Amino acid sequence: MDTSIDMDSLPAGLGGIRPLEIPATKYRQGQREMYDFTIPLSQLPQLIAKRPDPNEPIDGNRKVDLNRAKAFAKYLTQTVSWVSPAIIVRAPSGEVDFSAVKEFPDGTAWGVLSIPLHVLTEIILLDGQHRTLGVFIALDDLNRRIAEERETQLAAERTGDDATAAARGKEVAKLRARREKIANEHIPIELAVVSKEVAKQMFVDINNNAKGVNADFTSFLDKRDIINEIAVDLADSHPLLSGRVESGQSARMSPSNPNFIGVKGLADIIRALHVGVNGRVGARVEDELRANREAATQAASHFLDILVAAFPGVDAVMTGELTPVEVRQISMIGSVTMLRVLAGTTHLLRQPERTGGKFSDEEIANFMRTLDPHMRAIPIAETDRFWLSTGAFIAGTRAPQARQGSLSSLSNALVTYAEDWRTGQVSNT
């Protein structure tokens, strides 16, 4: 028997631990040696061996917000047209090699960046740790689900349950295809060859010079969210809002803003109207609202009509007799937090399973008229039991607290008040 081995057929470098080699562009920025390259998402955990840990902040970086990372993971797995800026990392000086293939007169070069495997644990995140952890979470979740479905499939095969085995096999194939699709998408990386102290200063400089996006402007632009779409539509179409909604393009919403409300505040009100003051719009509700968009928009429009009918201050804004700033000075009906509570209250009052049946829009408007004198009682006096008994106010303030617990307690208190009003236990004046 011929036991000889054809050495020429073996891969080059077999038996040795090879460094990570990546096509890259070399350039200089701030007197630093920098490299720009892209990698598949599946390789990000290989490049960044130190997974961001919410319980252990990276030296010189902020603490990771796990919920924010999970939100990016969800965005990544559910959004076909996802987008991400570059993740910025550092490598210690003298530990990476670059072989230039083409150099250019402007000082940049194309070539191969070589990172020894033992250096990967020293690749530290400077910017993008939430996106990085989000990628880890997305891949981990898909791997976990594939393993669970595969085990169920194998168990079904062992017991002869062909229907379950076939169904789980299809699910495994679907999850693998999704993982393959995500894994083969790319993300840009910027690698700086600097010391730890320089890296800390880079992090500070990045954040000091970054301008955050106004939440109103984000809501204005985000067309994937049906609530935002309805808000933008109403901002143009309802007479109370037309020309009085802050888009966030040039200013932030504040008590001195000449507009009645910001786009984000309007979206929060519409969301509260449909799912409650602290409710969330999940995939099922999103699909229902999108399928019934006209009705959802009309329901929100009717709520705005109720506000105009019930509160003279709101009506005065619509007719131009008072400015939004003037209304905020005399009534908490100008508070977006209070408007959100009223929307959540309306959501509860419209439920058909209520004792005595759901409230009609006319009933809700008539009930809210009884609140107008209380709305004008600002700042809240220490003797004001109407508002202070709800637990949502602090004496001396001009609006309810925006904490979830405060919003819920106030909304529930107003529902109870409305039911008492309906049964004649509360005066109409």
Side-chain angles (χ1 to χ4, degrees):
M1 176 184 293
D2 184 7
T3 58
S4 62
I5 299 175
D6 181 4
M7 301 302 292
D8 292 336
S9 67
L10 297 177
L14 184 65
I17 299 177
R18 305 188 63 183
L20 182 65
E21 295 183 332
I22 311 167
T25 298
K26 180 180 180 180
Y27 65 99
R28 292 191 68 79
Q29 183 184 81
Q31 301 302 306
R32 293 181 299 272
E33 182 182 328
M34 301 283 296
Y35 298 94
D36 171 69
F37 55 92
T38 60
I39 60 172
L41 290 174
S42 58
Q43 289 185 10
L44 191 61
Q46 179 184 3
L47 175 68
I48 303 175
K50 289 188 175 180
R51 176 180 180 135
D53 185 351
N55 298 316
E56 187 177 343
I58 297 171
D59 187 25
N61 210 321
R62 71 184 67 172
K63 185 177 180 180
V64 179
D65 183 337
L66 181 58
N67 288 331
R68 186 176 171 188
K70 287 181 176 179
F72 183 79
K74 180 179 179 182
Y75 165 73
L76 181 65
T77 55
Q78 296 185 359
T79 308
V80 175
S81 56
W82 69 278
V83 64
S84 172
I87 291 172
I88 304 177
V89 300
R90 71 163 282 262
S93 301
E95 296 288 357
V96 301
D97 294 317
F98 181 76
S99 299
V101 175
K102 175 68 175 177
E103 296 182 344
F104 299 96
D106 63 0
T108 62
W110 290 342
V112 177
L113 177 65
S114 178
I115 307 174
L117 296 187
H118 66 270
V119 176
L120 292 178
T121 55
E122 296 189 64
I123 301 294
I124 305 298
L125 281 160
L126 294 183
D127 187 59
Q129 56 181 353
H130 291 98
R131 281 168 278 143
T132 300
L133 181 55
V135 172
F136 276 80
I137 291 171
L139 294 175
D140 284 352
D141 183 62
L142 284 170
N143 288 333
R144 176 188 57 77
R145 292 171 63 191
I146 289 170
E148 290 174 353
E149 294 291 348
R150 189 169 56 234
E151 287 300 313
T152 303
Q153 177 191 3
L154 293 173
E157 290 174 351
R158 287 194 296 269
T159 59
D161 187 349
D162 295 339
T164 298
R168 293 309 93 200
K170 289 181 180 179
E171 187 63 23
V172 168
K174 184 172 72 173
L175 289 170
R176 281 175 172 166
R178 185 183 301 175
R179 181 181 63 184
E180 186 73 11
K181 182 177 181 300
I182 291 175
N184 288 330
E185 297 246 326
H186 290 70
I187 194 163
I189 306 292
E190 302 283 344
L191 185 146
V193 180
V194 295
S195 68
K196 185 182 293 187
E197 290 307 310
V198 172
K200 290 180 181 179
Q201 187 59 52
M202 287 179 66
F203 172 78
V204 172
D205 290 347
I206 289 168
N207 287 277
N208 282 346
N209 290 288
K211 179 177 174 58
V213 180
N214 190 314
D216 286 315
F217 193 47
T218 300
S219 298
F220 179 75
L221 294 176
D222 185 5
K223 298 301 188 293
R224 288 196 180 95
D225 188 321
I226 184 61
I227 296 295
N228 290 340
E229 289 186 29
I230 293 172
V232 172
D233 286 349
L234 286 176
D236 292 331
S237 62
H238 197 280
L240 170 63
L241 303 177
S242 183
R244 301 185 183 92
V245 176
E246 178 57 63
S247 69
Q249 179 78 344
S250 57
R252 294 185 179 274
M253 197 62 207
S254 67
S256 61
N257 192 298
N259 289 297
F260 181 64
I261 198 170
V263 178
K264 182 184 182 301
L266 180 57
D268 288 342
I269 289 168
I270 295 169
R271 186 177 296 105
L273 184 69
H274 287 292
V275 295
V277 71
N278 288 322
R280 294 181 178 275
V281 176
R284 179 184 61 80
V285 176
E286 173 90 15
D287 290 342
E288 290 176 357
L289 290 174
R290 198 169 290 282
N292 301 281
R293 175 171 173 167
E294 184 176 349
T297 303
Q298 189 175 52
S301 181
H302 287 169
F303 173 70
L304 295 174
D305 293 340
I306 288 172
L307 294 179
V308 172
F311 300 102
V314 178
D315 180 68
V317 168
M318 188 178 72
T319 60
E321 295 176 32
L322 290 174
T323 68
V325 174
E326 290 171 332
V327 170
R328 292 182 199 116
Q329 292 172 346
I330 61 173
S331 172
M332 72 174 78
I333 196 60
S335 159
V336 66
T337 303
M338 178 54 79
L339 293 174
R340 178 179 167 187
V341 168
L342 292 178
T345 302
T346 300
H347 168 77
L348 294 174
L349 294 178
R350 282 176 171 173
Q351 300 307 305
E353 63 272 15
R354 299 210 66 77
T355 302
K358 71 176 184 178
F359 281 60
S360 67
D361 283 357
E362 182 179 3
E363 281 183 298
I364 294 172
N366 288 335
F367 158 66
M368 287 191 180
R369 284 191 182 95
T370 69
L371 298 177
D372 187 61
H374 299 288
M375 294 287 183
R376 294 173 179 270
I378 56 174
I380 304 299
E382 292 185 359
T383 56
D384 190 335
R385 302 314 307 161
F386 183 84
W387 291 125
L388 292 178
S389 63
T390 66
F393 290 84
I394 298 175
T397 60
R398 305 176 68 87
Q401 299 178 79
R403 298 179 305 182
Q404 287 191 354
S406 298
L407 297 175
S408 294
S409 66
L410 180 55
S411 182
N412 291 333
L414 290 179
V415 166
T416 300
Y417 188 71
E419 291 172 336
D420 290 344
W421 167 84
R422 187 190 228 183
T423 57
Q425 299 179 58
V426 174
S427 171
N428 285 316
T429 59

